Amino acid sequence: MPTLFGTPLRRKEDPRLITGHATYTDDIRLPGMLYAAILRSPHAHARIRSVDASEAVRAPGVVRVYTGRDLEGRLGPIPTAWLVPDADLKTPPHPALASERVRYAGDGVAMVVAESRAAARDALERIRVDYEPLPAVVDAEKAMEPGAPLVHEEVPGNLVLHWRAGNGAEAAERAIAQAEVVVRRRLRNQRLIPTAMEPRAAVAQYNPATGELTLWLTSQNPHIHRVLLSGALGVPEQKLRVVAPEVGGGFGSKIPFYPDEALVAFAARDLGRPVKWTEERSENCRATTHGRDHVQEVVLAGTRDGRITALRVRAVANLGAYLSTAAPGVPTILFGLITSGPYAIPHIDVEVFGVLTHTTPVEAYRGAGRPEATYLLERLVDLYAREIGMDPAELRRRNFIPAHRFPYETPTGLTYDSGNYERALEKALEALDYDGLRKEQEEARKRGRFLGIGLSSYVEICGLGPSKVAGAVGFQGGLWESAVVRVHPTGKVNVYIGSSPHGQGEETTFAQVVADELGVPVEDVEIVHGDTAQTPMGWGTYGSRTTPVGSGALALAARRVAEKARKIAAHMLEAAPEDLDFRDGAFQVRGVPERKATIQQVALQAYLAWNLPEGMEPALEASAFYDPSNFVYPFGTHVAVVEVEPATGQVKLLRYVAVDDPGRVINPLIVDGQVHGGVVQGIGQALWEGAVYDENGQLLTGSMMDYALPRAGFLPPIETYRTETPSPVNPLGVKGVGETGTIASTPAVVNAVMDALAPFGIDHLEMPLTPEKIWRAVREAEARKGGAAA
Amino acid sequence: MEVTVRLTVNGQPAEGSAEPRTLLVHFLRDTLGLTGTHVGCDTSQCGACTVLLDGRAVKSCTLLAVQAEGRAVTTVEGLAALLPPEARVEGLHPLQAAFWEKHGLQCGFCTPGMLMTAADLLSRKPDPSEAEIREGLEGNLCRCTGYQNIVAAVRLAAERLRAAGAAAVGGEAALAAGAAAQGGAP
Ligand code: FES
Ligand code: FES
């Protein structure tokens, strides 16, 4: 019966976006609006001796200057909301403005509110802060050393969490000791700056008569922001409205509850005038959360004939100067539990140290933990293949969890819902003409050209998730979603959903699902999201959860509407409900097709309520709350083909093949777009991106001039393919696809470059694989060879 | 101390007061209320602020509002109106229509700048190769799409414009661009 499901409809959200008629937070202007600017610490670590704002207060246009002292007792600390258990987790306080000590270059010290953006900025320069600079530590391993400067006095050794997973450290140790082959590697998964193109912004408005506070915010999760803001500000939830208008990308960086938005809301209430704040890009680089930043010691054990027997991971995760909202869950639950990847690995032992440093806080960044896990596994699998002289595709094939073993329980306690990993791999190899390409590679090498083929097979955990699991892993919230499907008297439909897409296209895909369920044209369905005053509770858009969990809720709600409509139609047609067929938007009496009532006719009767079945309530709408019974596990294989030029160290991407299995696909156009974007972000990590600090904690990549983002010219076309293995745990069989690209592509590209460099005896280099790094490695390798020959 | 800036915006005379240091992008957004043009950076890297100035793409964060005095600015809000109605697709500039059809945008934040840069590119090079399009978009960053569908959209728009015999930047903006290219005042 589905007709729109699987159709590449162009997006409903686009007309406003392509004509300049969308409203992003910074586009909002309110009468009497003031502008805020935040003074940020230039030091990574310093004691604040004093803050003197007297001159700034007198500057033209300045209305108010707030310092940390002004907020004491008035604006609560910024909370951490993922309290991972059994990890000895410490949650040091995070004041909205620092008053005693600054802990990273970018830490907020004061906020100016003025009549114009320029006046607010100008006044920042008139605030005198007397800092006593203190030694800083930016490297997580150094931060763990005895005697390292402490980021928070309450956290000895800067260790905020210590967490383990797996099915037994001793058994893993034994398996490694007895293994025929052991591959060990130290890997760095570098720090990244998410860089959504829209900087963060907030606009707050307070009505002193009603006590109502509205905050427009660049948010991935307005309902979560409302709950947290209510606590920090002491505004009761029913008086607080958080709106995420158009949001220009988030990638995890718009999940957290930041001090800045709390300050803006606070000032609007305090001053009784609307206040706007928009960060500059350089501020975004320093004061918006970063991602990744692990050092991992990895041991993979196996047999000579290519069976993995054990995996041990010891990861040190740099979490920055404060624990951001969801930060503790990222390097633990979202990382450690998925280290099994697509392979049947008998023994796994994961140990994670979460460490504070004098750097920008680290949060979820597209993929959040899963790219870090996939990278180490896929890198090690390739090294293992090289060690035993086996083709990396064959090695993967041998270790895949076979299709008949689902649901599959991993040694880390997850239950993979469904999969056919080999099918995705074979599809990728076929699309590539893998065997032909290997021959070409061999030929090319003879002619002094260095091609590399890099595979990456992955499984990811998404569709977060069953709320009781959320509770068990310390997430301070539920992870269900809700929807209200309201059919109006004219048969047009509004859907109110709690989740908050910001570029992923769910206004379209959700409309497709509802249109199918109710048999109405897709143009008749409008999705309302992002406004806590309009929509029921939802837990936000991250973790590739909006399609699987959100559409689960809305499918259930739409089915309830259809059920009620059936009863009304039966009453109208004087037939039994079970004798009606629902087809093409109409209920027909089986065998008497001319006796029918369209959904629009039913809707009208539902509202007129002149003649409803006995005891039925009027109107035609339903709500549903969907709490998934399990996570969903998309998977696939990506392959990168590169050419490396040893003389210059340049990497040229020749081809990129992505085979993803996101379960059933609602809109292939949108799914392809998600894969393209994710793959390119992952390529960015492999080849170009990296946040760099000097040893004093100054961010050297603090602007778009210094932080190398992927540009159009550097990229090959991405060839997308799919297999579809429906999820048995989801009402629509869908999984999720927002993060697969970043998860899969980084190791695919690095593996390809290492494959190209194999003739030089180079088997690993740290990301990003810049020309300089490759050029040096090649020179060293050649010097070694020359030395050995001499 | 504010000064009055008079210019043509999207074919209409416009005027507003601005501090001499006000950037064109802020003047367009804050003073004229044309918020389709975005600000994505502070180092002139991202291209989100791209508009046409006398028919040529410029990053409006690299100019002061006063430098636009007497000149013609086209923003995304005025893009479709650069073409005669018969060259539009569903009332849109063929570039806009192609971005929609090819899924050349996700969050949409980079999109206005991409569209304006692409319009300039196609007006200079009506039949660009894929590599030329990618090179032409080097000054515009997109974090969502991986550029692939943007490139596809520009190709599709180029085809349609050629088939319709229309220039990507038409009307007065084209005249202004021509005059500027010849060194004359528009
Ligand atoms: S805002 Fe002008 S280039 Fe970024
Ligand atoms: S569509 Fe989001 S930045 Fe380009």
Side-chain angles (χ1 to χ4, degrees):
Chain A
M1 120 94 166
T3 50
L4 289 160
F5 206 108
T7 310
L9 289 192
R10 60 183 186 175
R11 300 197 316 170
K12 290 170 79 75
E13 37 277 83
D14 287 358
R16 62 178 189 262
L17 298 168
I18 52 181
T19 56
H21 290 106
T23 304
Y24 297 84
T25 302
D26 188 55
D27 299 342
I28 294 168
R29 285 194 303 157
L30 301 172
M33 191 165 80
L34 299 169
Y35 296 81
I38 295 170
L39 182 71
R40 299 190 181 277
S41 165
H43 302 285
H45 190 198
R47 200 171 72 79
I48 300 175
R49 289 204 197 94
S50 64
V51 182
D52 176 6
S54 54
E55 207 190 309
V57 172
R58 290 194 303 271
V62 170
V63 173
R64 196 58 216 268
V65 179
Y66 296 100
T67 65
R69 297 257 175 262
D70 299 327
L71 305 176
E72 274 162 25
R74 301 174 72 198
L75 181 59
I78 304 305
T80 299
W82 196 337
L83 307 177
V84 175
D86 306 320
D88 197 14
L89 182 73
K90 315 271 194 311
T91 53
H94 185 183
L97 287 173
S99 52
E100 280 158 22
R101 195 185 275 255
V102 286
R103 296 185 167 87
Y104 70 99
D107 211 351
V109 176
M111 182 170 81
V112 175
V113 185
E115 297 288 346
S116 74
R117 187 196 310 262
R121 283 247 170 97
D122 287 349
L124 291 183
E125 283 162 30
R126 303 190 185 208
I127 301 174
R128 310 242 168 278
V129 186
D130 186 7
Y131 292 106
E132 176 191 331
L134 297 168
V137 61
V138 298
D139 178 277
E141 287 176 306
K142 287 202 183 119
M144 292 169 79
E145 286 169 7
L150 289 185
V151 182
H152 293 267
E153 234 94 270
E154 304 84 333
V155 185
N158 293 314
L159 188 64
V160 265
L161 69 86
H162 179 207
W163 178 88
R164 292 196 88 126
N167 57 349
E170 275 170 35
E173 195 51 59
R174 259 199 313 281
I176 291 166
Q178 291 162 4
E180 292 171 10
V181 185
V182 177
V183 188
R184 291 169 200 274
R185 200 54 61 138
R186 180 184 157 87
L187 304 172
R188 189 174 275 278
N189 206 293
Q190 82 271 33
R191 180 182 282 240
L192 301 176
I193 304 182
T195 326
M197 291 309 299
E198 179 204 27
R200 282 189 298 127
V203 176
Q205 184 176 36
Y206 181 68
N207 183 329
T210 62
E212 279 167 351
L213 183 79
T214 303
L215 180 69
W216 289 266
L217 186 65
T218 49
S219 169
Q220 297 179 221
N221 29 249
H223 286 279
I224 292 184
H225 276 127
R226 177 166 71 160
V227 175
L228 297 179
L229 186 64
S230 166
L233 267 186
V235 174
E237 222 180 325
Q238 85 279 12
K239 298 282 192 188
L240 196 53
R241 175 181 174 205
V242 177
V243 186
E246 212 74 67
V247 176
F251 313 112
S253 72
K254 291 172 183 169
I255 294 172
F257 179 60
Y258 290 91
D260 315 319
E261 56 226 36
L263 285 166
V264 172
F266 174 83
R269 185 179 58 173
D270 191 45
L271 300 172
R273 286 175 67 181
V275 178
K276 180 198 277 192
W277 166 80
T278 303
E279 69 180 356
E280 300 195 338
R281 179 56 62 185
S282 52
E283 220 178 342
N284 173 275
C285 294
R286 285 175 185 80
T288 293
T289 52
H290 292 173
R292 317 271 192 266
D293 206 345
H294 282 203
V295 175
Q296 303 157 338
E297 304 275 354
V298 192
V299 183
L300 185 82
T303 63
R304 279 264 147 234
D305 65 352
R307 310 258 164 210
I308 302 170
T309 53
L311 173 72
R312 192 175 67 205
V313 179
R314 179 185 177 279
V316 174
N318 188 339
L319 296 172
Y322 300 98
L323 273 186
S324 180
T325 313
V330 176
T332 52
I333 309 303
L334 296 176
F335 164 76
L337 298 186
I338 199 78
T339 45
S340 191
Y343 309 115
I345 303 178
H347 300 285
I348 295 184
D349 174 30
V350 182
E351 185 174 20
V352 178
F353 299 88
V355 180
L356 296 178
T357 59
H358 294 105
T359 61
T360 300
V362 175
E363 250 287 353
Y365 167 59
R366 199 171 190 173
R370 293 148 290 169
E372 294 91 308
T374 305
Y375 179 73
L376 73 86
L377 189 58
E378 288 306 283
R379 210 54 284 283
L380 269 280
V381 163
D382 256 33
L383 289 165
Y384 176 30
R386 198 186 281 201
E387 175 82 28
I388 61 173
M390 185 176 284
D391 182 276
E394 176 55 24
L395 183 64
R396 285 175 170 80
R397 220 178 261 130
R398 280 193 191 188
N399 289 284
F400 278 153
I401 298 157
H404 65 266
R405 283 186 63 189
F406 291 90
Y408 174 83
E409 187 142 348
T410 70
T412 53
L414 299 176
T415 305
Y416 291 171
D417 59 342
S418 63
N420 191 331
Y421 303 153
E422 190 162 349
R423 186 165 64 181
L425 172 76
E426 298 309 336
K427 193 158 190 167
L429 298 183
E430 193 190 306
L432 207 63
D433 181 18
Y434 184 68
D435 295 335
L437 208 56
R438 284 282 177 210
K439 285 199 196 86
E440 201 181 315
Q441 178 186 36
E442 222 181 284
E443 289 302 310
R445 273 183 192 165
K446 287 182 199 147
R447 290 180 322 228
R449 286 184 54 204
F450 299 92
L451 303 186
I453 306 164
L455 278 72
S456 163
S457 296
Y458 72 93
V459 57
E460 73 143 314
I461 177 171
C462 77
L464 319 179
S467 297
K468 63 174 189 287
V469 178
V473 300
F475 184 77
Q476 301 298 295
L479 281 172
W480 45 269
E481 282 303 321
S482 65
V484 172
V485 174
R486 180 172 298 156
V487 186
H488 300 294
T490 55
K492 311 291 181 192
V493 184
N494 269 126
V495 178
Y496 304 85
I497 57 157
S499 53
S500 193
H502 42 280
Q504 298 89 343
E506 272 98 353
E507 285 177 35
T508 306
T509 48
F510 282 180
Q512 287 178 258
V513 170
V514 171
D516 271 347
E517 296 286 344
L518 298 181
V520 299
V522 72
E523 303 76 41
D524 288 1
V525 183
E526 212 60 55
I527 309 291
V528 179
H529 63 87
D531 181 347
T532 61
Q534 289 194 67
T535 63
M537 182 68 189
W539 294 95
T541 291
Y542 46 81
S544 301
R545 62 187 302 277
T546 295
T547 295
V549 190
S551 70
L554 84 107
L556 296 183
R559 285 170 196 174
R560 279 178 196 158
V561 167
E563 262 326 289
K564 180 170 182 180
R566 173 183 292 273
K567 288 188 191 130
I568 298 170
H571 189 68
M572 287 162 69
L573 298 167
E574 296 174 350
E578 55 281 6
D579 289 342
L580 299 183
D581 288 331
F582 186 39
R583 176 170 314 133
D584 301 329
F587 294 93
Q588 301 177 351
V589 180
R590 197 164 303 128
V592 201
E594 61 282 5
R595 275 181 65 203
K596 63 174 182 183
T598 64
I599 186 90
Q600 290 80 4
Q601 289 166 333
V602 171
L604 183 61
Q605 290 310 316
Y607 279 88
L608 292 176
W610 293 338
N611 183 16
L612 290 177
E614 196 55 39
M616 180 181 280
E617 291 174 9
L620 191 56
E621 72 170 70
S623 62
F625 298 82
Y626 171 63
D627 197 350
S629 61
N630 188 5
F631 301 96
V632 288
Y633 295 89
F635 60 89
T637 292
H638 288 206
V639 190
V641 184
V642 302
E643 177 166 2
V644 178
E645 201 177 295
T648 60
Q650 289 285 352
V651 175
K652 192 160 176 233
L653 280 158
L654 301 176
R655 279 184 75 186
Y656 195 96
V657 169
V659 179
D660 293 289
D661 191 321
R664 290 183 66 213
V665 169
I666 302 171
N667 185 322
L669 190 64
I670 288 175
V671 167
D672 279 346
Q674 288 296 309
V675 173
H676 296 162
V679 163
V680 168
Q681 276 181 340
I683 293 174
Q685 174 169 21
L687 297 181
W688 306 301
E689 295 181 37
V692 181
Y693 284 94
D694 71 10
E695 75 255 25
N696 301 319
Q698 293 300 325
L699 182 64
L700 302 178
T701 52
S703 80
M704 281 184 173
M705 295 235 258
D706 316 294
Y707 187 81
L709 292 166
R711 289 175 186 267
F714 305 154
L715 301 159
I718 291 145
E719 304 162 48
T720 53
Y721 300 87
R722 271 187 287 281
T723 60
E724 285 195 25
T725 308
S727 169
V729 302
N730 182 278
L732 295 167
V734 301
K735 291 189 171 181
V737 77
E739 296 166 294
T740 59
T742 20
I743 290 168
S745 65
T746 307
V749 172
V750 175
N751 283 346
V753 174
M754 294 312 133
D755 187 44
L757 294 174
F760 297 91
I762 296 168
D763 65 3
H764 183 71
L765 296 173
E766 299 289 13
M767 301 182 288
L769 299 173
T770 56
E772 186 195 339
K773 208 177 276 173
I774 291 171
W775 179 80
R776 278 184 199 287
V778 168
R779 296 240 316 186
E780 276 164 28
E782 282 182 332
R784 269 201 308 276
K785 239 200 247 160
Chain B
M1 198 229 12
E2 303 214 325
V3 294
T4 302
V5 182
R6 288 187 193 82
L7 69 173
T8 305
V9 178
N10 297 330
Q12 303 292 323
E15 135 174 7
S17 64
E19 285 188 56
R21 63 171 171 172
T22 302
L23 298 175
L24 178 58
V25 64
H26 289 133
F27 182 75
L28 291 169
R29 289 177 54 78
D30 299 343
T31 310
L32 301 183
L34 292 167
T35 55
T37 303
H38 298 151
V39 181
C41 73
D42 44 18
T43 51
S44 303
Q45 301 286 308
C46 75
C49 62
T50 307
V51 299
L52 301 182
L53 182 70
D54 295 335
R56 284 282 168 256
V58 295
K59 292 178 173 175
S60 62
C61 71
T62 60
L63 285 175
L64 299 171
V66 291
Q67 289 176 289
E69 172 78 30
R71 304 177 74 177
V73 172
T74 309
T75 67
V76 68
E77 289 92 340
L79 180 60
L82 283 180
L83 300 185
E86 63 279 8
R88 299 179 202 159
V89 180
E90 295 178 77
L92 299 166
H93 190 286
L95 272 164
Q96 292 170 314
F99 268 63
W100 189 8
E101 217 169 303
K102 290 287 176 189
H103 188 28
L105 61 148
Q106 290 180 25
C107 79
F109 197 78
C110 71
T111 311
M114 287 285 178
L115 287 166
M116 304 317 281
T117 302
D120 182 24
L121 173 71
L122 294 187
S123 75
R124 287 179 290 112
K125 234 189 237 308
D127 189 11
S129 67
E130 159 135 8
E132 285 170 328
I133 296 172
R134 285 183 180 271
E135 198 180 309
L137 298 175
E138 284 276 284
N140 290 67
L141 293 170
C142 173
R143 194 55 155 164
C144 299
T145 63
Y147 303 99
Q148 185 150 331
N149 288 343
I150 294 178
V151 175
V154 176
R155 291 192 85 145
L156 175 64
E159 265 166 47
R160 289 215 178 121
L161 282 161
R162 287 199 311 278
V169 176
E172 280 177 38
L175 293 178
Q182 284 160 29

